[in-house]
Amino acid sequence: MQEVYDSFVNQGLALIDTGDLPGALESLKRALALRPHNGPLEFVMANAYRALGDEVLAEQFFKSALALDPLSFPYNQIYAMFLHEVNRREEACSYLEAARALNPNDPQLHNDLGVLYHELKNPEKATFYFEKANALKPDYLVPLVNLGHIYSAQGDSTLLHALINRFTDEQKKDLEVAELIALATTTKAAHNSDTVGSTNLSFSNQSYSIAPLAIVKEFGEKLCASTSRLSIVVPIYNEVENIPILYQELTGVLKNLREEYEIIFVNDGSKDGSREVLNSLACDDRRIAVIHFRRNYGQTAALGAGFKYSHGDVVITLDADLQNDPADIPRLLEKMAEGYDLVNGWRKKRQDKALTRRLPSMIANRIINKLIEGTGVQLNDFGCTLKAYKKGIVKNIHLYGEMHRFIPVFAAWLGVKVAEIPVNHRPRVHGVAKYNLSRVSRVIFDLVVVRFFSDYMTRPIQFFGKIAKNITTYGLLGIILLSALGLTHTLPISLNTILILIAILLLGGMQILFLGLLGEVMIRFYFEVQKKDYFVVESVINRTEQS
């Protein structure tokens, strides 16, 4: 029975991926007949009917899913979107309010509530939510622009000009803000109540640009309610002395959990005998899977391969150097049982060198938290490998570069519930550390990419414009200073030479930056569209690929 159910579900999701929604619904109906009262499955079907334009059946399945799980953030948010589409705005507001109660620090959600209340001709509530959205994320322009359009529709030039003064000079260059400034010159002081609710405002791009059927897949692990299984993913690089000890510790903890489990060791091109030790373990224990890379690709690639070949409902990752304690695994699962989708370990008492490990990590964590403060997720230790994920997260995130540490960031943007608990951190006894200060630059570059893809992917001119402005400004200042020094003969160098060098430096810097970011866009299209991996697996023991 379980195999038949899984087959129908997998077939349905596969047909959704190909765009065959009628065929997908036929498969999902058969799965639902075998296991009725399945909230996530009914939510998938609701979105499929919605995409097909069948409002009656979409409504039926949305309500059924919400009745089974009324505290689901995506259920409330997406159902509200559906109600707005069918012009049931008051009901849409109530469900978005429910979503806001589940995720009170989401600025995009507050902006969308403001738009809905504006459409209901309730400017007081609309203003409140726009201001709240701006308070949660001051550099988020959409709610302030929406607020400006309300003031313009009301004919309140005083409030409109006061609002415009809140924008920085840089923000005033944004096209939407510029349009608002132009409106301010024509706004009359007469209030027109007929136009207050008719002005078209902007919903948040981030909340509403995610396809509903894609959101469903983030929670796809709930579709197969079979016996819980754990997948332990361990990246390995030259840890021959630690592997047997880690195996003993892991099996001791996992057997006490009395759950089905698998341990996936990913050999990231080790050259110290780790391959032979791993092969021996796999021969003795069929619950051990080993993936061998042809060369060293890095921890992100190793974790990505582990995710790809994992079968568990919950995936747990940890390092092979014995600094992560397997005894913390039950604590991660206990926290996840409280309703979280991702549980992050926090090495509160970290046993590493202060200058080369702890200090760079502390700085990086603060930068990451600053960049994602609008999501409502703030973690103390993004770099801790010891994490627990639900299957739906790891199966739908593609990792590149040093991106494994940013998985909680991606999850936060999708509305996934993230928690963090302190975990034990032990000093390294065998082997040598693989991380040093040279990796800090890679993390910083990936931070730039994360920021670019989160906020500027749909408006790159803003990103490039800021960089161009800063480079031009500081370059001109440098040219002026050098010109002055040359004229006063303080520097024994030709002024023309200095000017040429500065010009070359400015042009070269901008070209390199543009090429880097354009390369990121192109490589993501290459991997995502063609579903390619950027690592090469030499051999796999005891494992078939799990999609």
Side-chain angles (χ1 to χ4, degrees), residues 82-131:
F82 167 76
L83 292 172
H84 177 265
E85 290 172 2
V86 296
N87 296 317
R88 292 160 59 183
R89 294 185 177 89
E90 290 187 359
E91 292 178 77
C93 277
S94 66
Y95 283 97
L96 265 193
E97 290 277 14
R100 185 181 70 90
L102 295 168
N103 191 2
N105 296 316
D106 188 330
Q108 287 83 11
L109 205 58
H110 283 82
N111 174 77
D112 298 338
L113 272 166
V115 174
L116 282 174
Y117 279 117
H118 164 74
E119 293 178 354
L120 290 170
K121 298 188 178 182
N122 189 335
E124 292 80 11
K125 278 196 172 183
T127 300
F128 168 79
Y129 282 114
F130 289 141
E131 291 286 9

Side-chain angles (χ1 to χ4, degrees), residues 368-523:
I368 297 171
N369 280 323
K370 183 65 177 176
L371 288 175
I372 67 164
E373 58 186 357
T375 66
V377 173
Q378 297 286 282
L379 301 179
N380 294 286
D381 191 358
F382 285 90
C384 181
T385 305
L386 185 57
K387 293 180 175 72
Y389 311 86
K390 285 190 177 177
K391 176 182 178 181
I393 296 174
V394 301
K395 290 297 184 182
N396 292 284
I397 290 180
H398 297 276
L399 303 175
Y400 313 102
E402 298 286 328
M403 292 294 186
H404 67 275
R405 68 188 74 247
F406 301 125
I407 294 179
V409 181
F410 301 138
W413 284 325
L414 293 172
V416 169
K417 295 181 181 179
V418 181
E420 184 176 50
I421 63 171
V423 294
N424 184 31
H425 191 247
R426 304 179 293 191
R428 178 183 271 275
V429 177
H430 305 290
V432 295
K434 312 302 186 300
Y435 289 88
N436 51 48
L437 288 175
S438 66
R439 207 172 278 258
V440 174
S441 60
R442 304 183 196 175
V443 176
I444 292 174
F445 291 145
D446 279 335
L447 270 174
V448 174
V449 175
V450 169
R451 180 67 174 181
F452 175 75
F453 275 91
S454 65
D455 286 348
Y456 296 103
M457 185 63 177
T458 58
R459 48 192 184 104
I461 190 61
Q462 299 296 325
F463 185 82
F464 292 119
K466 289 180 180 179
I467 296 173
K469 175 191 172 184
N470 291 334
I471 290 179
T472 303
T473 300
Y474 291 119
L476 287 174
L477 289 174
I479 291 173
I480 293 170
L481 176 60
L482 289 172
S483 299
L485 293 174
L487 290 172
T488 58
H489 303 289
T490 304
L491 285 177
I493 188 171
S494 167
L495 185 59
N496 289 334
T497 302
I498 292 293
L499 293 176
I500 292 172
L501 288 175
I502 292 295
I504 293 173
L505 177 65
L506 293 176
L507 289 173
M510 292 183 68
Q511 286 178 336
I512 291 172
L513 187 61
F514 289 174
L515 285 174
L517 287 172
L518 288 174
E520 283 288 345
V521 174
M522 293 173 65
I523 201 69

Side-chain angles (χ1 to χ4, degrees), residues 272-299:
D272 66 341
S274 296
R275 167 190 286 266
E276 290 71 25
V277 174
L278 292 172
N279 288 345
S280 176
L281 289 175
C283 289
D284 295 336
D285 188 345
R286 298 298 296 176
R287 289 170 297 190
I288 301 296
V290 180
I291 299 170
H292 293 298
F293 283 177
R294 290 191 177 276
R295 64 172 178 84
N296 178 248
Y297 288 93
Q299 188 175 16

Side-chain angles (χ1 to χ4, degrees), residues 210-235:
I210 305 172
L213 293 178
I215 288 181
V216 171
K217 294 184 71 175
E218 298 301 319
F219 301 87
E221 76 283 348
K222 296 178 182 178
L223 291 175
C224 299
S226 57
T227 304
S228 176
R229 296 184 62 183
L230 300 177
S231 291
I232 313 298
V233 176
V234 186

Side-chain angles (χ1 to χ4, degrees), residues 197-210:
S198 60
T199 305
N200 291 325
L201 303 187
S202 299
F203 282 105
S204 61
N205 292 331
Q206 203 163 34
S207 295
Y208 281 62
S209 64
I210 305 172

